[in-house]
Amino acid sequence: MAAETDLPVDLPVDLTVVPADVDTLTGWGRTAPTLARVIRPRSYEEAAAAVRACGARGSIARGLGRAYGDAAQNAGGSVLDMTGLARIRAIDAEAGLAVCDAGVSLHHLMEVLLPLGWFVPVTPGTRWVTVGGAVGADIHGKNHHVSGSFSRHVVSLDLLTADGRVHTLAPGEPLFDATAGGMGLTGVILSVTLRLLPVETSLMRVDTERATDLDDLMARLTEGDHRHRYSVAWIDLLARGAATGRAVLTRGDHAPCRALPRRARRAPLAFRPGRLPGAPAYVPEGLLGRHSVGLFNELWYRRAPRHSTGRLQSLGSFFHPLDGVPHWNRVYGRGGFVQYQFVVGYGQEETLRRVVRRIASRRCPSFLAVLKRFGEADPGWLSFPLPGWTLALDIPAGLSGLGAFLDELDEEVVTAGGRVYLAKDSRLRPELLGAMYPRLDDFRELRARLDPTGVFVSDLSRRLGL
């Protein structure tokens, strides 16, 4: 059973002195902006008081705004910006455990943990994600085939529910499994105890190779992924004909000290992520069209080595290359972009081939497209991964006919027993959700029992009937 405690929410907390303002919010894709009252609690007590006073339109927690769609928006209601709750409360360097507030970023964790010889167990393509957001979206990385998703490494978490109680939850408990991947709809995550990954250095030892087409890529992934902790393939979705699905496959492991040059061994755990100039605030519409993206894809594929092994890379360049360009999402222009990510199980390779051919034939200008293999499914009721192939791609939101085209891809995916990722979704039809997520009814029933008045709500939950 989960332990329950009461926060001292009956103590007078003057919300007029809690930082707050009315703001227009979007996801990282910069589509579907909505207006909300943004409250910035600085303590657990202020968070609880803000939830109590959220009003008829409810509230939702928000981290650093890296969900691509509308998961951390709440039109006409309140949004709790949790980034003010960002303390690392304890680190057990012997056991490899960290206790931290939900608003701590993965970037900050890396800064603190790497000098101690520890690393976060799972990281997505950006380190600018909060720990609470990582649990709420049950994020995955390049190592899912080995390590599963983020919540697999959570030892316990403290969750503030709609009744003002704080539940200390452990994996396997229904409320924990509903919260992992539950998109913030079960309550406000306050703190997390996380199991860490030991490392000897802050460098990666990386193998890179080219795949000539999609079948070649899938064969290479299947044959070699088990030899590496991390694996990802950039895929050219504009290539057609015999080159359909050509890709650059990158796999890596944390480099041991013995692999470093003598000079690098003096500071093997140094963490110095680089930064490039940010994308300009204004980008002309149509900059990322078929011709420009096609040229980029051609150059990217040609410049990649046909085969290289053991090259040393920094953590930033291997895991988070786009973090080096602040506000890179602006390159899609004012209209923003849609990120579409789906997974289909092993045995459904023909579905994957068909979807890739359709995207290539449609000439969708995507230069950020990746293919990965997932391992075992995660226990979260709305967790995205299942054993199989996952493809993610960015597409300019203004592309003609995009909505209807993605609806057609959804049908392909659901027919194959697959699903789309809620943390990246901004347009899924709600009638498909139940077929994609078999525990959806359990999730809805638990929410109805735990939060009968709808305290926790988001634009995503209204759109999909979560």
Side-chain angles (χ1 to χ4, degrees), residues 115-268:
L116 303 176
W118 297 97
F119 190 61
V120 294
V122 172
T123 178
T126 175
R127 62 187 182 275
W128 297 109
V129 175
T130 62
V131 170
V135 175
D138 205 10
I139 60 170
H140 56 272
K142 300 174 182 178
N143 59 339
H144 190 277
H145 63 290
V146 172
S147 302
S149 63
F150 192 87
S151 294
R152 287 259 192 104
H153 306 273
V154 173
V155 176
S156 66
L157 62 84
D158 288 341
L159 182 75
L160 171 67
T161 51
D163 58 4
R165 302 184 71 83
V166 176
H167 303 251
T168 299
L169 306 173
E173 296 172 358
L175 186 50
F176 182 101
D177 292 345
T179 300
M183 306 310 297
L185 297 171
T186 60
V188 178
I189 298 170
L190 298 176
S191 70
V192 172
T193 300
L194 184 65
R195 186 178 296 109
L196 308 171
L197 177 70
V199 295
E200 295 183 21
T201 75
S202 60
L203 293 175
M204 302 296 296
R205 192 161 56 181
V206 180
D207 298 348
T208 305
E209 56 192 291
R210 286 193 222 163
T212 57
D213 58 28
L214 183 59
D215 284 342
D216 181 32
L217 173 60
M218 288 193 291
R220 290 171 186 262
L221 285 165
T222 301
E223 188 276 331
D225 265 8
H226 67 280
R227 293 194 291 267
H228 299 271
R229 179 175 290 274
Y230 303 98
S231 176
V232 65
W234 169 86
I235 183 170
D236 183 358
L237 291 178
L238 282 175
R240 293 184 291 181
T244 299
R246 68 178 180 177
V248 177
L249 172 58
T250 306
R251 291 184 282 216
D253 297 279
H254 294 280
C257 275
R258 66 179 183 275
L260 271 57
R262 186 181 301 274
R263 178 175 295 182
R265 294 180 196 176
R266 299 173 188 169

Side-chain angles (χ1 to χ4, degrees), residues 47 89 119 122 148 311 333 350 456:
R89 295 177 173 265
F119 190 61
V122 172
R311 289 190 177 183
E350 188 51 44
F456 298 112

Side-chain angles (χ1 to χ4, degrees), residues 376-416:
E376 294 181 9
D378 298 293
W381 292 356
L382 297 186
S383 291
F384 168 65
L386 55 82
W389 305 92
T390 180
L391 177 66
L393 60 149
D394 294 348
I395 312 172
L399 191 67
S400 176
L402 179 61
F405 177 66
L406 293 181
D407 285 347
E408 294 172 3
L409 297 190
D410 289 341
E411 295 288 351
E412 292 253 20
V413 169
V414 76
T415 299

